Amino acid sequence: MPDAIEVRKVPIHSVADASELAKLIDDGVMQADRVIAIIGKTEGNGGVNDYTRIIADRAFREVLVEKGADADAVKQVPIVWSGGTDGVISPHATIFATIPPEHVVPSEEPRLTVGFAMSEVLQPEDIGRVAMVAKVADAVKVAMERAGITDVADVHYVQTKTPLLTVHTIRDAKSRGKTVWTEHTHESMDLSNGCTALGIAVALGEIEMPTDADVMHNRDLYSAVASCSSGVELDQAQVVVVGNAAGVGGRYRIGHSVMNDALDADGIWDAIRSAGLDLPERPHTSDLDGRLVNVFLKCEVSQDGVVRGRRNAMLDDSDVHWHRQIKSAVGGVTAAVTGDPAVFVSVSAAHQGPDGGGPVAAIVDLG
């Protein structure tokens, strides 16, 4: 049985700041050598060259080592950064740590559990193809097992980080006589995320194994719990499975739903209800009563350029990429629900939730 989980959300005060993690450890809320995952938002451009992710990664790992965690072990801790805090979204990190068994009150109620795995190496020619789908699916199953989850219905959030294509990796593939799905590096961000989501969906039985032709084209194929990010930091799929398991104990529980479009605030409320909070039919931020730890969303521009029957110009805008526009819009909707701009809203949601919408996961403190 895996250990119970402590989870806290902390602000990031500057690009290289990890002082709030240090404070949690100094205050005894969690131990440095028990931190098992960190998921956060950094304030960069969210693109291929968003180095704020690398800066934040280094800052948080340095604090863990400084506070007593083994340096080699810290290198293996999954830290997933989503770049870009457009609009009101505020830079922050959600930190997951295990609790010493002697400090946990046993409970058979479903409570938060986390599992982590790395896939086989993803070659540049794998990205966007069934080979990547299969490698991701295998890693998801390993992470589920490590989380102590036996029923796929108990998986509510799968956060991944995968490689995208760069000029260097494209050149590498060509030198070996291979082809790549695209030579546009920014497009490969959407591609890597979407292909990864299909791997998650396959692992959880949400869909059958797709074909290469389905990737990025058949938007009816998606996962309702996938949250996929990509970057230049790694060459494998880094997979964090978050769900509930009976017997682990702890105070926290996770649930999920989907936003059907960019304005679907009800989808966010449904995720919070799914996590276990009893809310009125027409809830207000005040009904959360400080029990919501964080929400995690993916968002995407609808491929038809329409929201609720009204045309928008995001896909035609040559000045500001649609990634930044939809992230800002959904970030505002989300913050209006939670009353807190420190929300995890990430763009590029191909095959993650319905077209034009996206998955929502919510973690709550049940006390």
Side-chain angles (χ1 to χ4, degrees):
M1 180 66 66
D3 290 332
I5 300 295
E6 179 64 49
V7 55
R8 297 294 178 95
K9 179 173 68 177
V10 297
I12 297 175
H13 300 296
S14 65
V15 175
D17 172 59
S19 61
E20 296 291 343
L21 169 61
K23 187 173 187 297
L24 285 178
I25 296 169
D26 290 342
D27 291 346
V29 175
M30 52 183 61
Q31 298 174 17
D33 59 357
R34 283 185 166 272
V35 172
I36 58 169
I38 299 172
I39 299 171
K41 293 292 299 182
T42 66
E43 61 202 81
N45 62 21
V48 175
N49 65 335
D50 184 351
Y51 299 112
T52 64
R53 298 187 299 246
I54 297 173
I55 294 169
D57 189 273
R58 180 172 181 173
F60 275 71
R61 292 187 197 276
E62 286 178 348
V63 164
L64 292 177
V65 173
E66 176 188 323
K67 296 299 180 180
D70 177 76
D72 288 334
V74 167
K75 292 177 183 177
Q76 304 305 314
V77 174
I79 301 182
V80 179
W81 297 109
S82 169
T85 50
D86 302 85
V88 299
I89 300 171
S90 184
H92 69 280
T94 303
I95 303 160
F96 299 82
T98 58
I99 304 172
E102 62 271 19
H103 296 163
V104 179
V105 177
S107 171
E108 289 306 311
E109 291 294 316
R111 289 295 184 267
L112 187 72
T113 182
V114 177
F116 166 66
M118 297 292 286
S119 76
E120 294 180 34
V121 170
L122 293 165
Q123 301 292 348
E125 61 267 25
D126 293 339
I127 296 174
R129 293 168 176 155
V130 168
M132 182 178 187
V133 174
K135 289 179 180 180
V136 169
D138 288 343
V140 171
K141 293 174 183 176
V142 172
M144 272 184 62
E145 183 178 355
R146 291 176 177 170
I149 298 174
T150 56
D151 186 344
V152 294
D154 291 325
V155 176
H156 295 279
Y157 176 43
V158 182
Q159 178 65 58
T160 63
K161 192 77 176 187
T162 51
L164 44 70
L165 292 169
T166 65
V167 171
H168 172 73
T169 58
I170 292 168
R171 189 185 304 122
D172 169 64
K174 288 182 174 181
S175 73
R176 293 181 287 105
K178 305 294 184 180
T179 63
V180 292
W181 199 93
T182 179
E183 295 191 21
H184 297 284
T185 57
H186 198 274
E187 181 185 32
S188 77
M189 178 182 295
D190 298 333
L191 174 66
S192 181
N193 291 355
C195 195
T196 302
L198 291 173
I200 294 167
V202 168
L204 301 180
E206 294 174 284
I207 64 170
E208 298 296 326
M209 179 63 76
T211 66
D212 284 346
D214 288 321
V215 178
M216 302 302 289
H217 294 117
N218 186 353
R219 297 301 181 101
D220 290 334
L221 301 180
Y222 65 81
S223 171
V225 298
S227 177
C228 306
S229 294
S230 52
V232 297
E233 304 97 308
L234 70 177
D235 61 2
Q236 297 167 274
Q238 182 175 269
V239 179
V240 181
V241 167
V242 188
N244 297 315
V248 297
R251 296 161 36 196
Y252 304 96
R253 193 155 75 190
I254 187 169
H256 81 276
S257 186
V258 296
M259 291 179 76
N260 289 306
D261 62 34
L263 301 178
D264 186 15
D266 288 340
I268 304 170
W269 287 116
D270 287 344
I272 297 169
R273 285 191 181 93
S274 170
L277 288 193
D278 186 17
L279 298 171
E281 182 179 353
R282 294 183 62 82
H284 181 267
T285 300
S286 58
D287 296 314
L288 297 174
D289 195 26
R291 293 172 294 172
L292 178 66
V293 177
N294 206 1
V295 288
F296 305 84
L297 297 87
K298 292 294 293 189
C299 57
E300 179 91 349
V301 169
S302 178
Q303 296 297 292
D304 62 7
V306 172
V307 175
R308 301 197 181 183
R310 297 291 192 180
R311 180 179 70 88
N312 62 72
M314 285 185 281
L315 290 173
D316 292 323
D317 195 329
S318 298
D319 296 314
V320 181
H321 195 276
W322 66 262
H323 274 194
R324 310 201 72 162
Q325 298 190 47
I326 192 65
K327 189 190 310 176
S328 179
V330 174
V333 171
T334 306
V337 168
T338 65
D340 181 359
V343 287
F344 186 90
V345 177
S346 177
V347 76
S348 186
H351 301 298
Q352 299 154 75
D355 181 39
V360 188
I363 296 175
V364 301
D365 184 349
L366 296 178

